[in-house]
Amino acid sequence: MTYLDHAATTPMRACAIEALAKHAGAVNPASQYASGRKANAVLQEAREQIAQLLGADPVEVIFTGSGTEADNIAVRGLYAASELDRVVASTIEHPAVLESVHALERTGAKVDWLSVGRDGHVTDLSALDTPAAVATLMWANNETGAVQPVEEAARRAQAVGTPLHVDAVQAVGRIPVDFHALGATTLAASAHKFGGPRGTGLLLAQRSPAPQPVIVGGGQERGIRSGTVDVASAAATAAALAEAVGEMEAETARVRQLRDHLAKFILATIPNAVMTTQEPALPGHAHFMFPGANADAMIMLLDQQGVEVSAGSACSAGVIRLSGVLEAMGIGPEEGMGALRITFGRTTTAEDIETIKALLPDVVERARLV
Ligand code: PLP
């Protein structure tokens, strides 16, 4: 099997599986007796390690149940904590953010959208120069891999006192992330994107303004995310992040070289192929469009031959529609419905690239006949 969908999820690292197994028996870390204190010590160690790796203070690390949950808490919670009713968001946010913004819109929020160019990057940040309850901009887009101008966004939001949320789910573990240096109010990450367990998210949240809770309960995690924290998952997340950050420099160079090699081949071999991914971008992301080809057919034909990739277009109730991200970039259905996202990770080898090279020209040709 040739797995080339690391943006969807990446296999769990051995060190994370080890940490998960080692701490699977941990009790409630809020319990006062010895085993509770022991569980809490493991949790705090994971919190400290994550904080250090991401340039945050331990108190700013909030464990959540997913990246989606972290995004919801940040966007809805910062809005709820503000007196203002204005929201600023980019048009290419992941549904975890986009649907949170739409939910606020339905309750009366006024949304100003940051538009993007055909290269997938936000073009104009001036909406950030007027105060808002919350502004939100992703660090890197999950479809195209385009890295957004988050540093400038943070500077401009800070200048007018707007809390900024950054969805860094695709960025953490792949490119350097320093929460304090960035100056955002909140930042979301997800463990399964960097070799940690699925179902564990991270929200980095400055002390003030803090998001109001979206769910209420026992007041764990500064009251921002109530619910008993899974100690084993927290330890596994810290272990995976430490390994990902440790090998980042070497892995960036390695996957970028594989990506560039494949891109060069595709653009030279497949007629009318377009590389959607434009720099600055994540090193292991390659998004292509093959005008006139059917994305579902390409995925199916590759899958039949053991190659796993994904499309840019979303399938809703059996109707294939153009990806909202591509649409926001001004791309039409002829190009956008023939989109393929190929993403690389630490298990990707040169052999995997040769495998897809041998299949793709024929697959695209056949998918253009559908
Ligand atoms: N934000 C982005 C940019 C993502 O790519 C994803 C996952 O694909 C999420 C948020 C949601 O993360 P999770 O799968 O942990 O809910």
Side-chain angles (χ1 to χ4, degrees):
M1 198 251 284
T2 303
Y3 182 76
L4 293 170
D5 198 16
H6 288 264
T9 198
T10 197
M12 244 224 264
R13 293 170 186 269
C15 65
I17 295 172
E18 218 170 89
L20 207 53
K22 185 173 170 198
H23 300 292
V27 301
N28 191 327
S31 297
Q32 285 172 313
Y33 36 77
S35 58
R37 290 196 304 274
K38 203 172 140 205
N40 193 44
V42 174
L43 177 60
Q44 295 319 325
E45 198 186 317
R47 197 186 302 282
E48 278 164 30
Q49 197 176 5
I50 290 165
Q52 193 252 324
L53 291 164
L54 296 179
D57 293 337
V59 71
E60 293 173 321
V61 178
I62 310 290
F63 290 101
T64 69
S66 62
T68 299
E69 191 186 344
D71 281 330
N72 269 262
I73 296 172
V75 174
R76 293 160 178 259
L78 286 172
Y79 182 81
S82 168
E83 309 253 283
L84 305 176
D85 65 355
R86 181 170 177 265
V87 175
V88 179
S90 91
T91 50
I92 54 164
E93 296 298 309
H94 185 274
V97 168
L98 209 56
E99 292 307 318
S100 298
V101 172
H102 285 144
L104 294 177
E105 209 172 15
R106 286 192 291 275
T107 67
K110 295 178 187 71
V111 185
D112 274 334
W113 297 100
L114 301 169
S115 56
V116 295
R118 214 192 126 91
D119 63 358
H121 299 105
V122 167
T123 45
D124 181 7
L125 292 173
S126 54
L128 292 169
D129 300 335
T130 307
V134 58
T136 180
L137 178 61
M138 69 199 326
W139 198 308
N141 183 264
N142 43 296
E143 288 185 32
T144 65
V147 169
Q148 305 302 322
V150 284
E151 288 90 359
E152 196 194 335
R155 256 195 317 277
R156 289 169 78 156
Q158 222 170 35
V160 295
T162 299
L164 176 71
H165 172 61
V166 174
D167 175 352
V169 168
Q170 289 291 339
V172 166
R174 299 201 173 109
I175 54 176
V177 168
D178 187 320
F179 183 56
H180 287 167
L182 177 64
T185 309
T186 51
L187 181 145
S190 178
H192 75 95
K193 304 289 188 186
F194 52 79
R198 275 156 279 280
T200 300
L202 296 170
L203 179 69
L204 304 184
Q206 277 184 4
R207 290 168 182 79
S208 176
Q212 289 205 350
V214 167
I215 51 162
V216 290
Q220 292 91 341
E221 302 297 276
R222 287 169 51 202
I224 292 173
R225 201 275 187 175
S226 280
T228 303
V229 180
D230 178 6
V231 171
S233 290
T237 299
L241 185 60
E243 195 173 274
V245 170
E247 68 187 25
M248 190 182 284
E249 211 178 309
E251 269 300 283
T252 296
R254 194 184 71 85
V255 297
R256 181 175 281 146
Q257 203 222 335
L258 293 176
R259 195 257 323 255
D260 292 349
H261 174 77
L262 178 64
K264 209 169 148 189
F265 169 84
I266 288 175
L267 296 176
T269 318
I270 302 180
N272 303 325
V274 176
M275 184 157 183
T276 329
T277 301
Q278 298 289 325
E279 296 295 339
L282 295 174
H285 241 84
H287 186 287
F288 299 94
M289 294 182 294
F290 304 104
N294 177 300
D296 270 1
M298 288 191 283
I299 289 172
M300 210 181 63
L301 290 165
L302 287 169
D303 185 28
Q304 277 169 359
Q305 299 173 89
V307 175
E308 303 186 326
V309 297
S310 77
S313 57
C315 179
S316 161
V319 184
I320 311 157
R321 50 187 174 78
L322 178 62
S323 134
V325 170
L326 297 183
E327 204 175 357
M329 289 162 61
I331 289 164
E334 166 74 5
E335 276 181 301
M337 298 289 275
L340 216 54
R341 181 185 73 174
I342 306 170
T343 50
F344 309 82
R346 71 182 197 288
T347 58
T348 309
T349 61
E351 205 186 322
D352 292 335
I353 306 307
E354 293 310 312
T355 303
I356 194 166
K357 273 169 64 181
L359 298 173
L360 199 56
D362 177 55
V363 162
V364 174
E365 201 177 314
R366 288 167 66 190
R368 278 179 164 154
L369 301 173
V370 176

